[in-house]
Amino acid sequence: MDTVLLNPNIAYLFLAGGVLLTFFALVTPGTGFLEVGAFFLLALAGYAIYSLPIHIWALIVLVVSVVPFGMAIRRQAARRGIYLGISIVGVVVGSAYLFRGEGLTPAVNIWLVIITSALMGGFLWLVITKTLEALEATPSHNISGLIGRTGEAKTDIHDEGSAQIAGELWSVRSDDPIPAGAHIRVLNRSGFVLDVEKVED
């Protein structure tokens, strides 16, 4: 087992996977799966880092690359690309040169480094930027903006029902029964359910 875990190529893959999951966990915290996966892969990589000769400077670069990543998460889109790019370069260089080879060459197979770095860098850039854009996007529906709008009851409404409001079908309810086809006005909302009243013609 040690032979596998202490192979620099395998340790490099564990490290790259652990870093990827760590970054994804920082962007979308709370699921638990990413955190557990990152911990497991980084623990395996940590065993190799402890047991194999490494470049300390590469470890520092790898650890410090978390700083621009954190700045990328908190910056506006205009500057985010710069910080994210610096972070990705730091991760790629730090992980590639972490395990000491002969001379200036990394202990990891150069083709493995090239392929993994290209995939990891591209994947990090694409997924992180798209995830952050999605998290920061303004909701397409401003439900509170529907208060005061009028529409038409599509079903009988009392404890529940449906109404066409602002060109869309919404779940609605009313304190008093409202027949299908009646004109209604939005009074309030409770989550995604709108409270309505009948509008007298």
Side-chain angles (χ1 to χ4, degrees), residues 7 11 21 33 42 54-55 61 121 160 169 171 175 191 196 198:
N7 181 320
L21 291 182
F33 295 110
L42 290 176
I54 62 168
H55 289 113
V61 167
E160 60 182 27
L169 197 62
S171 294
D175 291 335
V196 298
K198 184 179 178 182

Side-chain angles (χ1 to χ4, degrees), residues 140-142 145-146 149-154 162-172 184 186 194:
S140 58
H141 293 293
N142 179 7
L146 293 173
R149 300 283 296 265
T150 58
E152 180 184 350
K154 291 299 183 182
S162 299
Q164 190 83 19
I165 304 163
E168 295 186 322
L169 197 62
W170 291 91
S171 294
V172 297
I184 53 96
V186 179
L194 304 177

Side-chain angles (χ1 to χ4, degrees), residues 14 23 25 41 70-71 92 107 128 132 151-152 157 176 198 201:
F14 285 146
F23 280 9
L41 290 177
M71 295 172 73
V92 167
I128 297 300
L132 290 173
E152 180 184 350
I157 301 170
D176 301 312
K198 184 179 178 182
D201 297 324

Side-chain angles (χ1 to χ4, degrees), residues 85-150:
I86 292 170
S87 180
I88 290 172
V89 169
V91 167
V92 167
V93 173
S95 60
Y97 282 91
L98 181 61
F99 300 106
R100 192 185 306 160
E102 295 182 9
L104 297 176
T105 61
V108 181
N109 182 291
I110 191 64
W111 289 108
L112 181 63
V113 169
I114 292 170
I115 293 169
T116 304
S117 296
L119 291 174
M120 183 169 65
F123 194 66
L124 269 175
W125 181 271
L126 180 66
V127 173
I128 297 300
T129 54
K130 294 300 180 186
T131 301
L132 290 173
E133 285 173 10
L135 291 173
E136 294 171 355
T138 303
S140 58
H141 293 293
N142 179 7
I143 300 176
S144 296
L146 293 173
I147 296 174
R149 300 283 296 265
T150 58

